[in-house]
Amino acid sequence: TSVIGTYIHSGIIHIIPAGLDHILFVLGLLAFGLSGRSLVLQVSVFTVAHTMTLAAASLGLVTIPGSIVEPLIALSIAWIGIENIFRKSARVALSRVVVVFAFGLLHGLGFASVLADFGLPQSAYVVGLLSFNVGVEIGQLAIVVPIFFLLKAVKITPPQFRRGFQIPVSALISAVGMFWFVERVGLL
């Protein structure tokens, strides 16, 4: 139980307060639309994908240097925001699901680098890995769920959501993602 508690806590801390890039990404998923179904679909696809690469990288099956992964994570954040701004429909298309899955794979590699720095106990490797992932999910949901329910509680209409939340939040997410990309490739 101490391993579970330690690694869940570590996963949460990686998101809140240390994981601003992951927070912005899941906020970008939320900013796609007011549909709980689309949010659950996107977050689920993202979770499955980053769980796969987190496990693969933690087991040493996939190794990609942070100098490649981190700029790509920044671009994924920018892309999600841009896609939100220019989307044609409030429905989640297959192309969006594929994009979120691919970006989830990238983010899992980012989580793996954090977990590698923290280390996993040899005697409870799987328990530690799963617990860290549960902590990451708790952290992400702690950000997205209250905002989603707040937007629903204020009975924001789709046009109000688009003008007052989706476009400004997505533009900010994209700008920060592009800044991080430039910073992470060493241009700043």
Side-chain angles (χ1 to χ4, degrees):
T1 59
S2 69
V3 169
I4 292 170
T6 299
Y7 283 87
I8 287 175
H9 180 261
S10 177
I12 293 170
I13 295 301
H14 177 63
I15 300 299
I16 304 168
L20 186 56
D21 50 354
H22 303 297
I23 289 170
L24 290 181
F25 188 84
V26 295
L27 283 175
L29 299 180
L30 172 65
F32 180 80
L34 282 172
S35 165
R37 247 190 181 141
S38 71
L39 180 60
V40 168
L41 174 62
Q42 292 179 89
V43 170
S44 298
V45 165
F46 181 66
T47 298
V48 167
H50 76 66
T51 300
M52 290 169 55
T53 51
L54 173 59
S58 296
L59 293 168
L61 302 175
V62 176
T63 307
I64 301 175
S67 61
I68 294 172
V69 171
E70 291 303 320
L72 291 175
I73 287 174
L75 281 180
S76 76
I77 294 163
W79 179 271
I80 286 296
I82 292 166
E83 192 173 57
N84 288 346
I85 293 168
F86 293 105
R87 72 179 177 79
K88 302 284 188 226
S89 167
R91 297 190 63 182
V92 178
L94 179 59
S95 61
R96 174 72 173 210
V97 173
V98 170
V99 165
V100 170
F101 184 82
F103 291 162
L105 294 173
L106 276 174
H107 284 251
L109 294 171
F111 292 141
S113 68
V114 169
L115 192 54
D117 292 343
F118 190 69
L120 281 168
Q122 294 301 320
S123 62
Y125 190 85
V126 173
V127 170
L129 179 63
L130 292 175
S131 298
F132 180 81
N133 200 48
V134 166
V136 165
E137 294 316 308
I138 291 169
Q140 290 176 165
L141 292 174
I143 299 294
V144 172
V145 170
I147 296 170
F148 176 78
F149 283 116
L150 178 64
L151 290 169
K152 288 296 198 177
V154 298
K155 299 191 185 306
I156 192 169
T157 65
Q160 292 169 328
F161 174 77
R162 181 134 174 92
R163 282 191 315 272
F165 187 83
Q166 184 180 55
I167 290 176
V169 167
S170 296
L172 178 63
I173 288 168
S174 294
V176 171
M178 289 307 297
F179 174 79
W180 282 340
F181 173 74
V182 169
E183 183 181 59
R184 290 174 183 181
V185 295
L187 298 175
L188 272 182

